[in-house]
Structures are given as structure tokens and as C-alpha cells.
Amino acid sequence: WEASSFLPFSRARIGSFFQETPVLKNPFLEDALLRGYLRRHLPQGAVLSDLCAFGERVAIEVDKWGRECEVNPPRLVHFDPWGRRVDHIVTSPAWKRMKDLSAQEGLVAIGYERSFGEWSRVYQMSKLYIFSPSAGLYTCPLAMTDGAAKVIQSIGVSWPVDEAFSRLTTRQSERFWTSGQWMTERQGGSDVATGTETVAVSQTDGSYKLHGFKWFTSATDADMTLTLARVQDRTGATTPGSRGLSLFYAEVSRDEDGRLKGIEVQRLKDKLGTRQVPTAELLLDGLPAHRISEEGRGVPCIANMLTITRIHNSISAAAAMRRVVQLARDYATRRTAFGKLLRDHPLHMQTLARMEVETHGAFLLSMDVCRLLGQEESGVATQLDTHLLRLLTPVVKLYTGKQAVAVVSEGLESFGGQGYIEDTGLPGLLRDAQVLSIWEGTTNVLSLDVLRCVALTKRLTDVSTLAPAVKAVDGALSQLQMFVQEAATREPGYLDLAARDLAYSLARIYAGALLIDHACWKEASASDTYAALRWCEQDLCPVVTKQARGCYDPSTPPLDSALVYD
Ligand code: UCC
Ligand code: FAD
């Protein structure tokens, strides 16, 4: 008999309480908004049962692979044991399984099979939305693959890209190819027109060889890529600026000795997040390539890819928010503090409800862009729809990318200290969210893109319970219209300074309209109405609020600079 045998904490005894872990359940069944949206717009049984089965697979099987991709990141082997340069990017078995799964589940193919007409993109993106937070970032190569297929389709599926198109869009895993998107060089990722130094040297057979240095290339284990370069004339001269850029198609292949043809992998990037993805610096040293745009029309040609990858980015952003909310609300049913479950603390529920409202907005914004894309591709879009797609793509990308970081960060806090612990898998969600506002165009660069194409439509329906929300959206829309008219008369540079707030205003007003629209559906729930009302309580038109404070006046840039460099 010893006193210590009654003590719960002694030697090997570490106490008897262990916190239950949050459980990932079928992300399709757990998502009332997704299911409601699909019931409303795409109620086909085949779609719903496919998404339900896929959701089950994600929860039970795929999520573990995603984790494996994170803990077993890619590495670069420069040399073989005998000193020969090989540049092998070694990826995990889970990363390779993601490739097979992506083909078999049609994660790119669905968008091109168009079995559900104008709703095919909504179906495809719903599947990616379920997949994304468990995908080990395989959504990155899929986005670029989809973007490359879109570019090829837009220029015409013929030699030399016909085989590539069929491989990018196949469901056969052994034939499936992924694509890279190599735009960024050391001098510029945003300012591609100035930053691109890569030159294209024409060959006698009409093809080219590329020489340059690509500073960021993601998922570099891709089978092919689209990339920008300047065609040299006979004297070796090139045209500067955007007008000198052409778009090239290149296959990433190896010679009989296993060496990459015309490419050296300088190194893999050491990144904050997206560690699952091999992101490399590449020396292009005579990479064989085919020009697929007219000379000097590279940027407008690759813009089709940007549209697709930016939409994928928005879907991933909304999906990250959704995942953290799903896990947090599950945890709130398991964790007790101050004598009751977290779900019974109203302040904690308020925090989760605010995250849910943001997720509602991000989901509806992203899906609406997918809807518009599907309409355009099926030839049923009006001219207004086409303009709206062009306008909303950067708006939705920039807004959801930023909000994902805020919501996921708040989400981590809802697990307390455990949210900060690596092997829970939660910190990776935040690291991966942080990139969403950087790649595929930063917030400011996309805000300026919005200025290229300002146009707006009204989607308001008056329903009494929603009256305050309708009033708020209507008022904000009028304010926005007045702002745009007035700003057009102001000095040069005024609109540039307002670009980010303008883009935010567009996102918030349009999301408000979508939330109201969804809440007006006859099968909408009380929570749909509540979400719309809550969304519309925020400042829907920050551009006007900031304008009233003089934020865009010509006096502010020198004050900003002085403040920053004080
Ligand atoms: O980051 C990258 C890959 C990351 C991995 C993939 C992740 C996918 C998501 C996964 C989710 C998990 S790839 C690198 C991405 N890079 C960028 O996004 C570049 C950011 N910079 C811009 O967006 C710039 O605005 C540029 C480079 C597109 C254009 O800048 P410029 O040089 O000022 O261009 P201009 O002169 O204004 O435009 C040239 C032409 C014009 O047409 P024309 O000549 O007919 O007047 C523009 O109207 O291109 C047209 N254009 C567009 N057209 C420019 N942007 C667009 C657009 N977005 N759509 C249609
Ligand atoms: P900069 O352009 O130098 O931007 C710096 C800051 O200046 C930003 O805040 C920006 O918003 C601001 N800024 C720039 N211009 C303006 C302006 N006119 N007005 C106001 N503000 C401005 N690229 C590829 O091509 N292929 C890839 O596969 C790829 N993968 C990537 C993977 C990762 C993990 C990351 C982090 C990046 C990747 N990129 C890739 C590069 C990415 O697209 C660029 O980093 C991004 O577009 C920004 O370009 P930059 O780095 O040159 O930043």
C-alpha cells in the first residue's frame, strides 16, 4: 500500500482526462448551404449522389492522404549517386494518389464533358470545394491544368496541343496530365510586362527554344506548361513591354539519360505554407516549345488561364472557411469550459456565427462566378453576364482570399491552444490560406484589374423580412454608382487609390444581393434569412465611407509615404 497508488498524476500516470478530437464528417452532408444551393439550381440525382459519395471518400480516405502530403513534402534530388545531374523532384505516394484520384473523379474533366450543360462548372467546382481542404494542395496543379485546357480550347484544339488537351481533360489516370503556369520572373510577378526576360529563339521547323529564368513555378512535377517569352528577331532583338510577350506551350520531358530536356531545377522554395506543392526556380536552357498565341498577344491569351485559376482560388478560399467552421462547430460539442460545452456559451456561438456569415458570402460569391462561367461556356450568357464574369472574377478572388485568412485565423483560436499545435493539422490550414491573396494576382493588382472593367447589375428582390438587408444593399448600390460617376471626374490617380476599397465594395454589395436572393428561395431556411441580414449590417460600401474621410485626396499619398518612412 502506497499513497501514490491513489494519485492520478504520478510517474507514468498522466491523468485520466483526454479531450475528444474534432471529427471530420462527410463535408457534403455537413454543408446545408451547399446542399441547398444545389437543390435549388442543380437538383439532378446523379450530381447529388456523386457529391455525397465523394464527400464520404474525402472524410474517410482522402483527408489522410492530404495530411501525408503535408508531413512528407517534396524534395529535390539534384544528382544521381555518380554525380550526373538528374533534378528529380521526389513527391510522396499520397501526392501521386491525388493525381490518380483527380482524374478518376473527373475534377477537371467534368468542366469539359459538360454533361450538365450550363451548370457543369457549378458541379465541378462543388466537387473541388468538398475536396480542397483535404487535397494536400493538389488543387493547385488542378487549377493550372483546368486553366491550360481553357486556353487551348479558346485557341482551338489542334496540333501541337490536341494531345495535351485530351490528356488534361481525361478521366483515365494513366493518361492524365497536369500543367504548370510559368509567368513569374525575378523582376516581376505582378508586372509581367516589364519583368519577363525569357527569350524565344525560333528553330527551322517553326518551333522555338526558350532561354530564361522562371522564379516561381508551382507543382513543377507537371507534364507540360504554358509560359511567356519574347520572340527574338534575326538580330536577337526583342520587343519590350506587354506587346513583346507571346504564349508558349512546352512539354516537361526527359532524355534517355533521365535528364530534363532544356530545364535545370535551381532549387525548391522554402515556403510558409503550400509545403505539399513543389514550387521551384527553373533555368530554361533551350526548352523546346511551340508558340500558341499570336506574337505579342501572350498576356490576353493567358488571361483565360488567369480567369480559371482565380475562380479555383476563390473556391479554395471558401472551402477553407467552410472546413474550419465545420471542425470548430464539431469541437464546440465536445469541449467543456467553465462548466458547460462551448456550444452553450453564447459569445462563442456569436464568434462561430460571424465566421459562418463570412463563409456564406464567400460561397455564394464563388459559386455565382462558376455559374456565370458555365453560362458563358454553354453559349447562354447575355452580354451583361459576360461583363459580370470579367468584373467579378478578380473581385471574388481578392475578397475571398483575404477573408479566408481572417476566418481561418479566427477558426484556429476556437480550438484554443490546440489550434496552434502542428500535428492537429490545423495550423496548416492557416499557412495555406495565406497564399490565396498573393498568388494569381495580389489584392492590389486585382483591384486595379477591376478598374479595367467596372460594370454592375442589380439582383434585388423585395421580401418583407429581408427589407433592412434590401434597403442596405440598394442604398450601397446607389452610393457606389454616385461614387463611380464622381470619381471619373477627379484627377488622375484618384481611382487608383480607391481601387481596393472599390473592389471590396463591389464584393460586399454583390454578396449581399446573392445572400438576399438565396434567402428569397421558397425552400430557404430561417438561417439563410438571418445570414443575409447579418451580412448587410456591415459597411457595404467602404469606398464611400473612406471617400468622405478624404482618403483618396491628392494630399494623402505624400502623407502615406511620410508615415511609412518616418
Ligand atoms: O501565381 C501563379 C500560380 C500559383 C499556383 C496556382 C494556384 C491556383 C489556385 C489554386 C487554389 C488552391 S501564376 C502567376 C499569376 N500571375 C498573375 O496573376 C499576374 C498578376 N498580374 C496581372 O494580373 C496583370 O494585370 C497582367 C500581367 C495580367 C497584365 O498587366 P499589364 O502588363 O499592365 O497588362 P495590360 O497592358 O493592362 O493588358 C494587356 C492585355 C489587355 O488586352 P488588349 O491588349 O487587348 O487591350 C488587357 O485587357 O491583356 C488584357 N488583360 C486581360 N484580359 C489583362 N488582364 C486580363 C484579364 N484578367 N482578363 C482578360
Ligand atoms: P510584387 O509585384 O513585387 O508585389 C509586391 C507588393 O506590391 C504587393 O503587395 C502588391 O500588391 C504590390 N503592388 C504591385 N504592383 C502594384 C501596383 N501597381 N499598385 C499597388 N500595389 C502594387 N508564379 C507563377 O508564375 N507560377 C507559379 O506557379 C507560381 N507559384 C507560386 C507559388 C507560391 C507559393 C507563391 C508565393 C508565388 C507563386 N507565384 C507563381 C508567384 C506569384 O504569382 C507572385 O509572387 C505574385 O503574382 C506577386 O508578384 P511579386 O512576387 O512579383 O510581387
Side-chain angles (χ1 to χ4, degrees):
W1 189 90
E2 273 187 49
S4 66
S5 59
F6 289 100
L7 293 173
F9 299 96
S10 134
R11 303 235 165 154
R13 274 177 235 147
I14 56 168
S16 56
F17 174 76
F18 290 94
Q19 177 60 44
E20 275 183 59
T21 55
V23 176
L24 175 66
K25 300 177 192 133
N26 182 328
F28 174 69
L29 293 179
E30 284 289 296
D31 195 331
L33 181 61
L34 170 65
R35 285 189 294 118
Y37 185 90
L38 292 173
R39 255 200 351 269
R40 181 180 176 194
H41 296 294
L42 182 57
Q44 277 83 345
V47 170
L48 301 184
S49 60
D50 181 48
L51 292 176
C52 186
F54 187 55
E56 204 59 28
R57 197 172 174 197
V58 166
I60 289 170
E61 190 179 23
V62 180
D63 194 61
K64 292 193 189 71
W65 303 349
R67 189 79 197 114
E68 204 181 314
C69 292
E70 168 95 16
V71 296
N72 190 3
R75 65 193 167 84
L76 174 63
V77 177
H78 264 142
F79 299 99
D80 77 3
W82 307 100
R84 286 185 200 90
R85 183 97 191 206
V86 286
D87 288 355
H88 268 136
I89 295 174
V90 183
T91 56
S92 67
W95 179 260
K96 296 186 179 81
R97 280 201 292 275
M98 291 292 188
K99 184 175 185 183
D100 292 346
L101 169 107
S102 302
Q104 288 153 9
E105 293 285 349
L107 295 178
V108 176
I110 292 169
Y112 296 85
E113 291 162 353
R114 296 205 188 135
S115 309
F116 295 90
E118 64 184 278
W119 293 100
S120 301
R121 284 291 187 180
V122 165
Y123 171 30
Q124 176 202 8
M125 296 295 172
S126 298
K127 212 162 175 181
L128 281 158
Y129 174 75
I130 292 170
F131 178 52
S132 175
S134 298
L137 251 293
Y138 207 78
T139 39
C140 166
L142 293 181
M144 298 188 290
T145 300
D146 196 349
K150 177 79 180 173
V151 169
I152 294 174
Q153 198 172 53
S154 71
I155 59 172
V157 182
S158 58
W159 189 88
V161 284
D162 46 347
E163 171 73 8
F165 182 80
S166 102
R167 286 177 176 276
L168 297 173
T169 57
T170 182
R171 281 182 185 251
Q172 294 168 275
S173 48
E174 65 286 358
R175 292 195 69 241
F176 183 49
W177 272 7
T178 60
S179 176
Q181 173 186 8
W182 303 346
M183 296 176 69
T184 306
E185 303 194 8
R186 273 189 292 238
Q187 284 187 43
S190 308
D191 185 4
V192 171
T194 312
T196 306
E197 293 178 293
T198 301
V199 294
V201 183
S202 64
Q203 308 295 300
T204 48
D205 63 356
S207 71
Y208 292 81
K209 288 207 167 159
L210 306 186
H211 296 264
F213 196 91
K214 297 292 173 181
W215 180 232
F216 275 94
T217 67
S218 277
T220 318
D221 58 335
D223 306 279
M224 57 159 278
T225 194
L226 299 186
T227 191
L228 295 167
R230 298 184 194 283
V231 175
Q232 275 187 338
D233 67 17
R234 283 200 201 106
T235 68
T238 56
T239 307
S242 191
R243 295 269 162 212
L245 292 176
S246 304
L247 186 61
F248 291 84
Y249 159 76
E251 289 176 17
V252 183
S253 59
R254 293 181 178 270
D255 62 20
E256 313 79 64
D257 298 328
R259 273 192 296 264
L260 278 171
K261 284 192 200 159
I263 300 176
E264 276 189 14
V265 184
Q266 169 100 343
R267 58 172 172 163
L268 292 187
K269 299 281 199 190
D270 184 9
K271 296 172 288 177
L272 168 71
T274 70
R275 293 181 188 165
Q276 314 87 327
V277 182
T279 301
E281 294 168 16
L282 298 182
L283 171 71
L284 309 188
D285 188 4
L287 172 67
H290 296 274
R291 182 167 53 77
I292 59 167
S293 73
E294 280 172 42
E295 261 187 55
R297 298 298 292 163
V299 172
C301 196
I302 206 168
N304 276 311
M305 186 171 210
L306 293 174
T307 299
I308 298 293
T309 49
R310 287 169 182 173
I311 292 174
H312 278 253
N313 204 87
S314 310
I315 288 291
S316 287
M321 299 186 211
R322 167 57 66 221
R323 174 60 55 85
V324 89
V325 172
Q326 276 174 354
L327 291 174
R329 75 178 186 184
D330 179 78
Y331 191 63
T333 65
R334 300 172 192 276
R335 177 73 171 170
T336 297
F338 298 98
K340 51 186 180 183
L341 287 169
L342 292 180
R343 67 169 298 167
D344 297 325
H345 287 276
L347 185 57
H348 191 68
M349 278 304 103
Q350 181 200 68
T351 308
L352 297 196
R354 285 181 181 169
M355 289 160 59
E356 179 63 43
V357 172
E358 276 304 324
T359 309
H360 260 67
F363 172 83
L364 290 176
L365 277 173
S366 304
M367 274 303 160
D368 203 58
V369 181
C370 301
R371 176 187 69 81
L372 290 165
L373 176 67
Q375 286 188 339
E376 191 196 47
E377 291 180 333
S378 312
V380 297
T382 62
Q383 203 186 20
L384 181 63
D385 293 330
T386 305
H387 286 318
L388 209 50
L389 173 64
R390 173 69 184 93
L391 169 72
L392 286 176
T393 301
V395 168
V396 174
K397 191 283 189 182
L398 76 89
Y399 195 76
T400 57
K402 262 303 197 242
Q403 293 313 99
V405 181
V407 170
V408 173
S409 171
E410 186 72 80
L412 257 57
E413 192 175 329
S414 72
F415 299 93
Q418 285 301 100
Y420 203 69
I421 297 305
E422 264 304 322
D423 57 2
T424 61
L426 294 166
L429 286 176
L430 182 59
R431 283 200 299 270
D432 293 344
Q434 185 65 61
V435 82
L436 297 170
S437 63
I438 298 175
W439 67 14
E440 295 301 350
T442 64
T443 311
N444 280 353
V445 167
L446 293 180
S447 299
L448 294 171
D449 188 43
V450 171
L451 293 187
R452 284 195 184 95
C453 48
V454 172
L456 202 60
T457 186
K458 265 189 167 187
R459 295 174 54 91
L460 297 183
T461 319
D462 206 352
V463 170
S464 57
T465 47
L466 289 162
V470 172
K471 198 166 159 231
V473 168
D474 216 4
L477 197 54
S478 308
Q479 283 183 317
L480 185 69
Q481 277 165 345
M482 279 186 314
F483 171 83
V484 172
Q485 277 160 12
E486 206 242 295
T489 65
R490 301 297 291 257
E491 58 278 2
Y494 189 85
L495 257 181
D496 279 10
L497 268 191
R500 187 190 269 238
D501 296 329
L502 177 65
Y504 271 54
S505 305
L506 287 166
R508 287 193 190 156
I509 295 169
Y510 197 72
L514 290 174
L515 279 152
I516 293 168
D517 184 51
H518 190 70
C520 291
W521 173 44
K522 63 181 185 324
E523 290 176 41
S525 67
S527 293
D528 291 325
T529 303
Y530 185 63
L533 290 167
R534 292 306 296 260
W535 179 276
C536 294
E537 280 167 10
Q538 65 182 316
D539 183 358
L540 292 179
C541 199
V543 75
V544 167
T545 320
K546 299 255 171 67
Q547 182 190 35
R549 292 189 196 137
C551 293
Y552 319 127
D553 293 349
S555 56
T556 58
L559 293 173
D560 287 343
S561 292
L563 178 65
V564 171
Y565 291 104
D566 194 7

